[in-house]
Short mmCIF file of all heavy atoms in Angstrom, two decimals:
data_model
loop_
_atom_site.label_atom_id
_atom_site.label_comp_id
_atom_site.label_asym_id
_atom_site.label_seq_id
_atom_site.Cartn_x
_atom_site.Cartn_y
_atom_site.Cartn_z
N MET A 1 7.56 35.32 11.72
CA MET A 1 8.31 34.41 10.85
C MET A 1 7.31 33.56 10.04
O MET A 1 6.39 33.10 10.53
CB MET A 1 9.13 33.51 11.78
CG MET A 1 10.59 33.62 11.40
SD MET A 1 11.55 32.44 12.34
CE MET A 1 13.06 33.12 11.79
N SER A 2 7.71 33.27 8.92
CA SER A 2 6.81 32.37 8.06
C SER A 2 7.28 30.96 8.21
O SER A 2 8.37 30.59 8.50
CB SER A 2 6.86 32.90 6.57
OG SER A 2 8.12 32.62 6.11
N GLN A 3 6.25 30.07 7.95
CA GLN A 3 6.59 28.64 8.09
C GLN A 3 7.20 28.21 6.71
O GLN A 3 7.00 28.75 5.71
CB GLN A 3 5.27 27.92 8.21
CG GLN A 3 4.51 28.15 9.52
CD GLN A 3 3.29 27.36 9.67
OE1 GLN A 3 2.82 26.82 8.72
NE2 GLN A 3 2.72 27.29 10.86
N PRO A 4 8.06 27.18 6.83
CA PRO A 4 8.81 26.63 5.68
C PRO A 4 7.71 26.01 4.71
O PRO A 4 6.75 25.48 5.14
CB PRO A 4 9.80 25.66 6.18
CG PRO A 4 9.29 25.26 7.49
CD PRO A 4 8.51 26.49 8.01
N LEU A 5 7.97 26.17 3.43
CA LEU A 5 7.07 25.59 2.44
C LEU A 5 7.19 24.10 2.39
O LEU A 5 8.34 23.57 2.42
CB LEU A 5 7.30 26.16 1.08
CG LEU A 5 7.05 27.66 0.90
CD1 LEU A 5 7.54 28.13 -0.46
CD2 LEU A 5 5.60 27.96 1.12
N ARG A 6 6.15 23.40 2.38
CA ARG A 6 6.11 21.94 2.26
C ARG A 6 6.18 21.55 0.78
O ARG A 6 5.53 22.22 -0.04
CB ARG A 6 4.86 21.29 2.90
CG ARG A 6 4.80 21.42 4.42
CD ARG A 6 3.64 20.70 4.97
NE ARG A 6 3.63 20.68 6.39
CZ ARG A 6 2.72 20.18 7.08
NH1 ARG A 6 1.66 19.61 6.48
NH2 ARG A 6 2.78 20.19 8.40
N PRO A 7 6.88 20.52 0.45
CA PRO A 7 6.88 20.03 -0.95
C PRO A 7 5.42 19.52 -1.32
O PRO A 7 4.73 19.01 -0.42
CB PRO A 7 7.89 19.02 -1.03
CG PRO A 7 8.11 18.57 0.38
CD PRO A 7 7.71 19.71 1.26
N ASP A 8 5.06 19.67 -2.57
CA ASP A 8 3.87 19.16 -3.03
C ASP A 8 3.77 17.65 -2.85
O ASP A 8 4.77 16.94 -3.40
CB ASP A 8 3.63 19.53 -4.49
CG ASP A 8 2.30 19.19 -5.10
OD1 ASP A 8 1.35 19.28 -4.33
OD2 ASP A 8 2.21 18.69 -6.17
N PRO A 9 2.80 17.04 -2.27
CA PRO A 9 2.74 15.59 -2.00
C PRO A 9 2.59 14.77 -3.38
O PRO A 9 2.86 13.55 -3.41
CB PRO A 9 1.61 15.39 -1.09
CG PRO A 9 0.74 16.55 -1.35
CD PRO A 9 1.56 17.68 -1.67
N GLY A 10 2.17 15.39 -4.36
CA GLY A 10 2.05 14.69 -5.68
C GLY A 10 0.71 13.96 -5.73
O GLY A 10 -0.30 14.32 -5.13
N TRP A 11 0.60 12.94 -6.48
CA TRP A 11 -0.50 12.06 -6.62
C TRP A 11 -0.89 11.50 -5.30
O TRP A 11 -0.03 11.08 -4.54
CB TRP A 11 -0.33 10.97 -7.66
CG TRP A 11 -0.33 11.52 -9.05
CD1 TRP A 11 -0.50 12.76 -9.52
CD2 TRP A 11 0.07 10.74 -10.19
NE1 TRP A 11 -0.33 12.86 -10.81
CE2 TRP A 11 0.03 11.61 -11.30
CE3 TRP A 11 0.43 9.39 -10.39
CZ2 TRP A 11 0.29 11.19 -12.61
CZ3 TRP A 11 0.72 9.07 -11.66
CH2 TRP A 11 0.64 9.90 -12.80
N PRO A 12 -2.18 11.28 -5.02
CA PRO A 12 -2.56 10.72 -3.67
C PRO A 12 -2.11 9.19 -3.59
O PRO A 12 -1.83 8.78 -2.59
CB PRO A 12 -4.07 10.81 -3.65
CG PRO A 12 -4.45 11.17 -5.04
CD PRO A 12 -3.27 11.76 -5.78
N ILE A 13 -1.99 8.54 -4.75
CA ILE A 13 -1.67 7.12 -4.76
C ILE A 13 -0.13 6.94 -4.44
O ILE A 13 0.32 6.11 -3.70
CB ILE A 13 -2.01 6.44 -6.05
CG1 ILE A 13 -3.56 6.41 -6.12
CG2 ILE A 13 -1.42 4.97 -6.00
CD1 ILE A 13 -3.96 5.78 -7.46
N GLY A 14 0.66 7.87 -5.02
CA GLY A 14 2.06 7.89 -4.91
C GLY A 14 2.75 7.25 -6.06
O GLY A 14 2.25 6.26 -6.67
N GLY A 15 3.87 7.81 -6.43
CA GLY A 15 4.60 7.30 -7.65
C GLY A 15 5.21 5.96 -7.41
O GLY A 15 5.33 5.14 -8.37
N GLY A 16 5.55 5.61 -6.22
CA GLY A 16 6.20 4.33 -5.90
C GLY A 16 5.26 3.07 -6.28
O GLY A 16 5.67 2.17 -6.77
N LEU A 17 4.02 3.33 -5.84
CA LEU A 17 2.99 2.32 -6.11
C LEU A 17 2.79 2.07 -7.63
O LEU A 17 2.65 0.94 -8.12
CB LEU A 17 1.69 2.62 -5.37
CG LEU A 17 0.54 1.69 -5.56
CD1 LEU A 17 0.88 0.33 -5.05
CD2 LEU A 17 -0.74 2.15 -4.90
N LEU A 18 2.73 3.15 -8.41
CA LEU A 18 2.57 3.01 -9.75
C LEU A 18 3.74 2.29 -10.42
O LEU A 18 3.55 1.51 -11.38
CB LEU A 18 2.44 4.46 -10.45
CG LEU A 18 1.10 5.16 -10.01
CD1 LEU A 18 1.10 6.53 -10.61
CD2 LEU A 18 -0.11 4.35 -10.50
N VAL A 19 5.01 2.64 -9.93
CA VAL A 19 6.15 1.89 -10.49
C VAL A 19 6.06 0.40 -10.20
O VAL A 19 6.39 -0.40 -11.07
CB VAL A 19 7.39 2.60 -9.95
CG1 VAL A 19 8.66 1.72 -10.31
CG2 VAL A 19 7.64 3.97 -10.48
N VAL A 20 5.69 0.10 -8.97
CA VAL A 20 5.59 -1.35 -8.59
C VAL A 20 4.57 -2.06 -9.53
O VAL A 20 4.73 -3.13 -9.97
CB VAL A 20 5.23 -1.46 -7.06
CG1 VAL A 20 4.94 -2.92 -6.78
CG2 VAL A 20 6.38 -0.99 -6.20
N LEU A 21 3.36 -1.39 -9.68
CA LEU A 21 2.38 -2.02 -10.43
C LEU A 21 2.86 -2.18 -11.95
O LEU A 21 2.54 -3.18 -12.60
CB LEU A 21 1.09 -1.17 -10.41
CG LEU A 21 0.35 -1.17 -9.13
CD1 LEU A 21 -0.85 -0.20 -9.19
CD2 LEU A 21 -0.16 -2.55 -8.89
N ALA A 22 3.58 -1.24 -12.48
CA ALA A 22 4.02 -1.33 -13.85
C ALA A 22 5.02 -2.45 -13.98
O ALA A 22 5.00 -3.23 -14.99
CB ALA A 22 4.69 -0.02 -14.29
N VAL A 23 5.96 -2.51 -13.07
CA VAL A 23 7.00 -3.58 -13.11
C VAL A 23 6.28 -4.97 -12.94
O VAL A 23 6.68 -5.89 -13.67
CB VAL A 23 8.01 -3.42 -12.01
CG1 VAL A 23 8.94 -4.67 -11.84
CG2 VAL A 23 8.89 -2.15 -12.28
N THR A 24 5.27 -5.07 -12.06
CA THR A 24 4.56 -6.33 -11.88
C THR A 24 3.93 -6.68 -13.23
O THR A 24 3.91 -7.90 -13.58
CB THR A 24 3.63 -6.26 -10.71
OG1 THR A 24 4.26 -5.85 -9.58
CG2 THR A 24 2.92 -7.38 -10.46
N LEU A 25 3.21 -5.82 -13.81
CA LEU A 25 2.60 -6.05 -15.11
C LEU A 25 3.53 -6.54 -16.12
O LEU A 25 3.32 -7.57 -16.81
CB LEU A 25 1.79 -4.79 -15.60
CG LEU A 25 1.08 -4.94 -16.85
CD1 LEU A 25 -0.02 -5.95 -16.77
CD2 LEU A 25 0.58 -3.58 -17.29
N VAL A 26 4.69 -5.89 -16.25
CA VAL A 26 5.63 -6.30 -17.31
C VAL A 26 6.22 -7.69 -16.99
O VAL A 26 6.32 -8.51 -17.92
CB VAL A 26 6.79 -5.30 -17.41
CG1 VAL A 26 7.98 -5.78 -18.24
CG2 VAL A 26 6.23 -3.94 -18.01
N VAL A 27 6.60 -7.92 -15.72
CA VAL A 27 7.08 -9.27 -15.39
C VAL A 27 6.01 -10.33 -15.60
O VAL A 27 6.41 -11.43 -16.14
CB VAL A 27 7.62 -9.25 -13.97
CG1 VAL A 27 7.90 -10.61 -13.40
CG2 VAL A 27 8.81 -8.36 -13.77
N GLY A 28 4.79 -10.05 -15.17
CA GLY A 28 3.74 -10.98 -15.43
C GLY A 28 3.53 -11.35 -16.97
O GLY A 28 3.34 -12.53 -17.32
N LEU A 29 3.69 -10.28 -17.77
CA LEU A 29 3.56 -10.57 -19.22
C LEU A 29 4.65 -11.33 -19.74
O LEU A 29 4.53 -12.27 -20.60
CB LEU A 29 3.42 -9.27 -19.97
CG LEU A 29 2.17 -8.49 -19.81
CD1 LEU A 29 2.19 -7.15 -20.43
CD2 LEU A 29 0.99 -9.33 -20.37
N GLN A 30 5.85 -11.11 -19.21
CA GLN A 30 7.08 -11.92 -19.68
C GLN A 30 6.97 -13.32 -19.20
O GLN A 30 7.27 -14.26 -19.93
CB GLN A 30 8.36 -11.28 -19.12
CG GLN A 30 8.63 -9.92 -19.67
CD GLN A 30 8.89 -9.93 -21.20
OE1 GLN A 30 9.53 -10.87 -21.67
NE2 GLN A 30 8.30 -8.94 -21.90
N ILE A 31 6.55 -13.55 -17.96
CA ILE A 31 6.42 -14.89 -17.49
C ILE A 31 5.30 -15.72 -18.25
O ILE A 31 5.46 -16.83 -18.53
CB ILE A 31 6.12 -14.96 -15.93
CG1 ILE A 31 7.37 -14.44 -15.20
CG2 ILE A 31 5.70 -16.29 -15.46
CD1 ILE A 31 7.16 -14.33 -13.74
N GLY A 32 4.25 -14.99 -18.66
CA GLY A 32 3.17 -15.68 -19.37
C GLY A 32 3.64 -16.10 -20.79
O GLY A 32 3.09 -16.97 -21.28
N ALA A 33 4.66 -15.47 -21.26
CA ALA A 33 5.18 -15.83 -22.61
C ALA A 33 6.18 -16.93 -22.62
O ALA A 33 6.60 -17.41 -23.61
CB ALA A 33 5.77 -14.59 -23.31
N MET A 34 6.62 -17.29 -21.40
CA MET A 34 7.61 -18.39 -21.22
C MET A 34 7.06 -19.76 -21.47
O MET A 34 5.83 -19.90 -21.23
CB MET A 34 8.19 -18.37 -19.76
CG MET A 34 9.11 -17.19 -19.49
SD MET A 34 9.76 -17.43 -17.81
CE MET A 34 10.84 -16.10 -17.75
N PRO A 35 7.83 -20.67 -21.85
CA PRO A 35 7.39 -22.06 -21.99
C PRO A 35 7.09 -22.62 -20.57
O PRO A 35 7.46 -22.12 -19.57
CB PRO A 35 8.54 -22.80 -22.55
CG PRO A 35 9.39 -21.82 -23.18
CD PRO A 35 9.22 -20.55 -22.42
N TRP A 36 6.23 -23.69 -20.62
CA TRP A 36 5.74 -24.25 -19.32
C TRP A 36 6.85 -24.68 -18.37
O TRP A 36 6.71 -24.42 -17.15
CB TRP A 36 4.85 -25.41 -19.61
CG TRP A 36 4.45 -26.19 -18.47
CD1 TRP A 36 4.86 -27.34 -17.91
CD2 TRP A 36 3.42 -25.69 -17.45
NE1 TRP A 36 4.21 -27.71 -16.79
CE2 TRP A 36 3.37 -26.73 -16.48
CE3 TRP A 36 2.68 -24.63 -17.34
CZ2 TRP A 36 2.45 -26.53 -15.38
CZ3 TRP A 36 1.86 -24.39 -16.29
CH2 TRP A 36 1.75 -25.43 -15.30
N ARG A 37 7.90 -25.21 -18.96
CA ARG A 37 9.07 -25.65 -18.09
C ARG A 37 9.58 -24.47 -17.20
O ARG A 37 9.90 -24.68 -16.06
CB ARG A 37 10.16 -26.19 -19.00
CG ARG A 37 11.34 -26.70 -18.28
CD ARG A 37 12.33 -27.33 -19.27
NE ARG A 37 12.59 -26.43 -20.39
CZ ARG A 37 13.73 -26.45 -21.02
NH1 ARG A 37 14.73 -27.21 -20.65
NH2 ARG A 37 13.81 -25.66 -22.02
N PHE A 38 9.74 -23.33 -17.77
CA PHE A 38 10.33 -22.24 -17.07
C PHE A 38 9.34 -21.65 -16.04
O PHE A 38 9.71 -21.19 -15.01
CB PHE A 38 10.79 -21.13 -17.99
CG PHE A 38 11.94 -21.55 -18.85
CD1 PHE A 38 11.77 -21.60 -20.25
CD2 PHE A 38 13.13 -21.94 -18.41
CE1 PHE A 38 12.78 -22.09 -21.04
CE2 PHE A 38 14.16 -22.39 -19.18
CZ PHE A 38 14.03 -22.34 -20.45
N ARG A 39 8.00 -21.75 -16.39
CA ARG A 39 7.02 -21.23 -15.41
C ARG A 39 7.01 -22.11 -14.18
O ARG A 39 6.89 -21.63 -13.07
CB ARG A 39 5.66 -21.24 -16.06
CG ARG A 39 5.38 -20.04 -16.87
CD ARG A 39 3.94 -19.95 -17.26
NE ARG A 39 3.78 -20.20 -18.69
CZ ARG A 39 2.67 -20.34 -19.26
NH1 ARG A 39 1.57 -20.27 -18.61
NH2 ARG A 39 2.64 -20.55 -20.56
N LYS A 40 7.18 -23.43 -14.38
CA LYS A 40 7.31 -24.36 -13.23
C LYS A 40 8.43 -24.01 -12.39
O LYS A 40 8.36 -24.05 -11.22
CB LYS A 40 7.36 -25.69 -13.76
CG LYS A 40 7.26 -26.81 -12.59
CD LYS A 40 7.28 -28.15 -13.21
CE LYS A 40 7.32 -29.29 -12.20
NZ LYS A 40 7.43 -30.65 -12.62
N GLN A 41 9.59 -23.72 -12.97
CA GLN A 41 10.83 -23.33 -12.24
C GLN A 41 10.53 -22.04 -11.48
O GLN A 41 11.07 -21.85 -10.36
CB GLN A 41 12.03 -23.19 -13.16
CG GLN A 41 12.46 -24.52 -13.62
CD GLN A 41 13.57 -24.52 -14.61
OE1 GLN A 41 13.85 -23.34 -15.16
NE2 GLN A 41 14.20 -25.56 -14.93
N MET A 42 9.83 -21.08 -12.06
CA MET A 42 9.53 -19.79 -11.40
C MET A 42 8.65 -20.06 -10.14
O MET A 42 8.88 -19.43 -9.13
CB MET A 42 8.85 -18.86 -12.36
CG MET A 42 9.87 -18.40 -13.49
SD MET A 42 11.17 -17.42 -12.84
CE MET A 42 10.41 -15.88 -12.38
N TRP A 43 7.74 -21.01 -10.28
CA TRP A 43 6.85 -21.30 -9.15
C TRP A 43 7.77 -21.92 -8.01
O TRP A 43 7.49 -21.70 -6.91
CB TRP A 43 5.73 -22.26 -9.52
CG TRP A 43 4.71 -21.61 -10.34
CD1 TRP A 43 4.46 -20.25 -10.52
CD2 TRP A 43 3.75 -22.33 -11.26
NE1 TRP A 43 3.47 -20.12 -11.41
CE2 TRP A 43 3.01 -21.33 -11.94
CE3 TRP A 43 3.54 -23.60 -11.49
CZ2 TRP A 43 1.99 -21.67 -12.72
CZ3 TRP A 43 2.57 -23.92 -12.43
CH2 TRP A 43 1.77 -22.93 -12.97
N GLN A 44 8.66 -22.77 -8.38
CA GLN A 44 9.52 -23.45 -7.35
C GLN A 44 10.33 -22.34 -6.71
O GLN A 44 10.55 -22.38 -5.50
CB GLN A 44 10.37 -24.44 -8.02
CG GLN A 44 9.64 -25.75 -8.50
CD GLN A 44 10.51 -26.67 -9.25
OE1 GLN A 44 11.59 -26.32 -9.74
NE2 GLN A 44 10.00 -27.93 -9.46
N LEU A 45 10.88 -21.38 -7.54
CA LEU A 45 11.67 -20.29 -6.88
C LEU A 45 10.81 -19.44 -5.90
O LEU A 45 11.29 -19.08 -4.85
CB LEU A 45 12.26 -19.43 -7.97
CG LEU A 45 13.08 -18.22 -7.57
CD1 LEU A 45 14.29 -18.65 -6.73
CD2 LEU A 45 13.48 -17.40 -8.80
N GLN A 46 9.59 -19.23 -6.39
CA GLN A 46 8.66 -18.42 -5.50
C GLN A 46 8.44 -19.14 -4.18
O GLN A 46 8.42 -18.53 -3.17
CB GLN A 46 7.27 -18.25 -6.24
CG GLN A 46 6.91 -16.85 -6.51
CD GLN A 46 5.55 -16.81 -7.27
OE1 GLN A 46 5.05 -17.75 -7.75
NE2 GLN A 46 5.01 -15.64 -7.28
N GLY A 47 8.22 -20.40 -4.28
CA GLY A 47 7.95 -21.17 -3.10
C GLY A 47 9.14 -21.24 -2.13
O GLY A 47 9.05 -21.11 -0.93
N ALA A 48 10.32 -21.29 -2.70
CA ALA A 48 11.56 -21.26 -1.92
C ALA A 48 11.72 -19.98 -1.27
O ALA A 48 12.12 -19.85 -0.05
CB ALA A 48 12.74 -21.59 -2.85
N LEU A 49 11.52 -18.88 -2.02
CA LEU A 49 11.69 -17.59 -1.38
C LEU A 49 10.57 -17.28 -0.31
O LEU A 49 10.92 -16.76 0.75
CB LEU A 49 11.50 -16.46 -2.51
CG LEU A 49 12.66 -16.36 -3.55
CD1 LEU A 49 12.32 -15.38 -4.55
CD2 LEU A 49 13.98 -16.02 -2.75
N ALA A 50 9.40 -17.80 -0.52
CA ALA A 50 8.35 -17.60 0.49
C ALA A 50 8.67 -18.41 1.77
O ALA A 50 8.49 -17.96 2.85
CB ALA A 50 7.03 -18.04 -0.09
N GLY A 51 9.20 -19.63 1.56
CA GLY A 51 9.70 -20.38 2.66
C GLY A 51 10.81 -19.85 3.45
O GLY A 51 10.84 -19.84 4.66
N GLY A 52 11.66 -19.21 2.83
CA GLY A 52 12.79 -18.54 3.35
C GLY A 52 12.39 -17.24 4.18
O GLY A 52 12.78 -17.13 5.33
N VAL A 53 11.47 -16.53 3.69
CA VAL A 53 10.93 -15.47 4.40
C VAL A 53 10.18 -15.89 5.60
O VAL A 53 10.29 -15.30 6.67
CB VAL A 53 10.09 -14.49 3.48
CG1 VAL A 53 9.31 -13.52 4.24
CG2 VAL A 53 10.90 -13.85 2.42
N ALA A 54 9.33 -16.93 5.49
CA ALA A 54 8.53 -17.37 6.61
C ALA A 54 9.55 -17.98 7.71
O ALA A 54 9.38 -17.71 8.93
CB ALA A 54 7.67 -18.53 6.19
N GLY A 55 10.62 -18.66 7.30
CA GLY A 55 11.65 -19.15 8.24
C GLY A 55 12.31 -17.96 8.98
O GLY A 55 12.58 -18.07 10.23
N LEU A 56 12.61 -16.96 8.30
CA LEU A 56 13.28 -15.78 8.84
C LEU A 56 12.29 -15.07 9.84
O LEU A 56 12.75 -14.76 10.94
CB LEU A 56 13.64 -14.75 7.78
CG LEU A 56 14.34 -13.56 8.25
CD1 LEU A 56 15.78 -13.92 8.63
CD2 LEU A 56 14.44 -12.51 7.09
N VAL A 57 11.07 -14.99 9.53
CA VAL A 57 10.09 -14.32 10.46
C VAL A 57 9.92 -15.23 11.67
O VAL A 57 9.89 -14.75 12.80
CB VAL A 57 8.74 -14.06 9.72
CG1 VAL A 57 7.71 -13.64 10.74
CG2 VAL A 57 8.96 -12.98 8.67
N VAL A 58 9.71 -16.50 11.55
CA VAL A 58 9.50 -17.41 12.62
C VAL A 58 10.79 -17.35 13.51
O VAL A 58 10.70 -17.36 14.77
CB VAL A 58 9.17 -18.84 12.17
CG1 VAL A 58 9.29 -19.80 13.31
CG2 VAL A 58 7.83 -18.85 11.54
N GLY A 59 11.98 -17.43 12.98
CA GLY A 59 13.14 -17.34 13.77
C GLY A 59 13.37 -16.09 14.51
O GLY A 59 13.74 -16.08 15.66
N TYR A 60 12.93 -14.96 13.92
CA TYR A 60 12.99 -13.70 14.57
C TYR A 60 12.01 -13.72 15.77
O TYR A 60 12.39 -13.20 16.87
CB TYR A 60 12.66 -12.63 13.61
CG TYR A 60 12.72 -11.21 14.19
CD1 TYR A 60 13.88 -10.57 14.55
CD2 TYR A 60 11.49 -10.56 14.49
CE1 TYR A 60 13.93 -9.36 15.04
CE2 TYR A 60 11.44 -9.21 15.07
CZ TYR A 60 12.69 -8.66 15.31
OH TYR A 60 12.75 -7.44 15.91
N VAL A 61 10.83 -14.19 15.60
CA VAL A 61 9.85 -14.16 16.61
C VAL A 61 10.23 -15.03 17.73
O VAL A 61 10.15 -14.73 18.91
CB VAL A 61 8.37 -14.54 16.11
CG1 VAL A 61 7.47 -14.81 17.21
CG2 VAL A 61 7.93 -13.43 15.11
N VAL A 62 10.74 -16.28 17.45
CA VAL A 62 11.13 -17.22 18.49
C VAL A 62 12.38 -16.70 19.26
O VAL A 62 12.43 -16.79 20.45
CB VAL A 62 11.41 -18.60 17.81
CG1 VAL A 62 12.07 -19.47 18.84
CG2 VAL A 62 10.18 -19.20 17.34
N GLY A 63 13.25 -15.93 18.47
CA GLY A 63 14.48 -15.44 19.10
C GLY A 63 14.16 -14.35 20.06
O GLY A 63 14.85 -14.13 21.01
N ARG A 64 13.13 -13.56 19.77
CA ARG A 64 12.78 -12.49 20.60
C ARG A 64 12.18 -12.97 21.88
O ARG A 64 12.22 -12.25 22.98
CB ARG A 64 11.79 -11.53 20.01
CG ARG A 64 12.40 -10.70 18.87
CD ARG A 64 11.50 -9.58 18.48
NE ARG A 64 11.29 -8.64 19.52
CZ ARG A 64 10.63 -7.51 19.51
NH1 ARG A 64 10.14 -7.19 18.30
NH2 ARG A 64 10.54 -6.73 20.53
N GLY A 65 11.59 -14.16 22.03
CA GLY A 65 10.89 -14.63 23.13
C GLY A 65 11.89 -15.25 24.18
O GLY A 65 11.67 -15.40 25.31
N ARG A 66 13.20 -15.43 23.66
CA ARG A 66 14.15 -16.06 24.67
C ARG A 66 14.81 -14.97 25.43
O ARG A 66 15.18 -13.93 24.89
CB ARG A 66 15.22 -16.85 23.82
CG ARG A 66 14.72 -18.04 23.18
CD ARG A 66 15.84 -18.76 22.47
NE ARG A 66 15.27 -19.90 21.73
CZ ARG A 66 15.94 -20.64 20.95
NH1 ARG A 66 17.22 -20.30 20.67
NH2 ARG A 66 15.43 -21.65 20.24
N PRO A 67 15.12 -15.26 26.78
CA PRO A 67 15.90 -14.23 27.46
C PRO A 67 17.36 -14.24 27.08
O PRO A 67 17.93 -15.23 26.68
CB PRO A 67 15.79 -14.78 28.90
CG PRO A 67 15.42 -16.17 28.86
CD PRO A 67 14.70 -16.38 27.53
N ARG A 68 17.96 -13.12 27.13
CA ARG A 68 19.38 -12.98 26.75
C ARG A 68 20.26 -13.41 27.87
O ARG A 68 20.00 -13.12 29.02
CB ARG A 68 19.67 -11.51 26.28
CG ARG A 68 18.94 -11.10 25.02
CD ARG A 68 19.65 -9.89 24.49
NE ARG A 68 18.85 -9.52 23.28
CZ ARG A 68 19.22 -9.72 22.08
NH1 ARG A 68 20.45 -10.21 21.87
NH2 ARG A 68 18.50 -9.32 21.04
N PRO A 69 21.36 -14.15 27.53
CA PRO A 69 22.33 -14.63 28.62
C PRO A 69 23.09 -13.41 29.20
O PRO A 69 23.28 -12.43 28.71
CB PRO A 69 23.17 -15.53 27.96
CG PRO A 69 23.06 -15.29 26.45
CD PRO A 69 21.73 -14.66 26.26
#
């Protein structure tokens, strides 16, 4: 019996990484063209999102340490 053919893996870097890099570049260029007031709001949004993710991770870690009733 022959082994099933594996699909070609494609580029070693992967297409997903290239898409993420392209989107990041486009978003960065768009943010760079914004007036200062909007950039400041984007930084505030970034900080809020980072704080939310950090709170979620800390809550998950602390919750795992507690015994279940």
Side-chain angles (χ1 to χ4, degrees):
M1 238 186 186
S2 66
Q3 293 180 348
L5 295 175
R6 290 184 177 179
D8 185 40
W11 290 350
I13 295 175
L17 180 62
L18 292 175
V19 170
V20 168
L21 288 174
V23 169
T24 303
L25 179 64
V26 169
V27 169
L29 290 172
Q30 293 298 319
I31 290 175
M34 287 182 176
W36 175 252
R37 177 176 50 149
F38 295 117
R39 278 192 248 174
K40 185 177 176 185
Q41 290 175 347
M42 292 297 288
W43 289 340
Q44 290 172 344
L45 177 63
Q46 238 180 349
L49 290 174
V53 169
L56 184 69
V57 169
V58 168
Y60 179 76
V61 170
V62 169
R64 285 192 67 172
R66 292 183 182 171
R68 295 199 181 255

